[in-house]
Amino acid sequence: MCRTRAVLDIVGDKWALLVVRMLKDGPLRFTELKRAVDGISQRMLTVTLRDLERDGLLTRTVHAVMPPHVSYELTPMGRTLREAAAPLLEWSVRHMPQIDAARAAYDERG
Amino acid sequence: MCRTRAVLDIVGDKWALLVVRMLKDGPLRFTELKRAVDGISQRMLTVTLRDLERDGLLTRTVHAVMPPHVSYELTPMGRTLREAAAPLLEWSVRHMPQIDAARAAYDERG
DNA sequence: CAGTATCCTGGCCGATACTG
DNA sequence: CAGTATCGGCCAGGATACTG
């Protein structure tokens, strides 16, 4: 069987890709990520971060200060993922108008 | 707002990426796709193909013969998507063992 | 600040049956 | 062959409230 499917369950995840992208320039804190990844709920951010940590794609560092300070940073493997995902993300941005147009045309016909 | 998210709803879809990949070497028929994309249900293949057609990423061609013959083929835009997605797919295949290991280690600790 | 805990619901998706 | 139609379970994921 094609095991690519299993990995895409993680890596093909929309939120995961967006989180990984936001971490490209260095570590971010929970709230910073929440603000950066538009539309993500607190719960989904928590779950996504946990999964990415579990898969060895980012590290979670707790700084023992008050108030709490937790930062997330890509691991070396996480950085290779971010590089592999970059073309797809860029494609998405670039072809958004064309897709919108195609969809509108399709709906008009249908 | 970051509209990348909207496009990732389509393009970040696991099945969509796998279907697009299978079409890289030319058109395929419904049943061929169903066999090629391991584990996809008839319903999900239908839905995925419909969405990709709607977004202008592939064309659906009905050949008027008996028995029916329908072929699916990437559009030029679909081919650019497939190129943009290729690195992510390849990354998935390549890093599967490493991810499995990281996950096992995490679960052991937890 | 950075979560956890709980509830709840829409819709994803598989299974099944039917058709041009 | 290549679908459509329908039903139903289940869970992703939002909303909300609470905490060290």
Side-chain angles (χ1 to χ4, degrees), chain A residues 30-50:
Chain A
F30 187 88
T31 309
E32 291 171 333
L33 277 168
K34 179 140 172 36
R35 225 177 313 115
V37 181
D38 180 81
I40 196 169
S41 69
Q42 194 174 29
R43 180 191 144 79
M44 281 317 293
L45 181 55
T46 302
V47 171
T48 301
L49 288 171
R50 205 64 79 207

Side-chain angles (χ1 to χ4, degrees), chain A residues 64-106:
Chain A
V65 293
M66 240 345 238
H69 183 147
V70 179
S71 64
Y72 295 90
E73 182 169 21
L74 293 180
T75 61
M77 177 162 65
R79 281 195 286 281
T80 67
L81 168 58
R82 123 94 191 141
E83 280 164 30
L88 183 60
L89 272 313
E90 196 186 333
W91 186 96
S92 297
V93 175
R94 181 162 309 194
H95 291 80
M96 219 151 31
Q98 208 172 338
I99 286 196
D100 282 343
R103 204 179 294 189
Y106 183 95

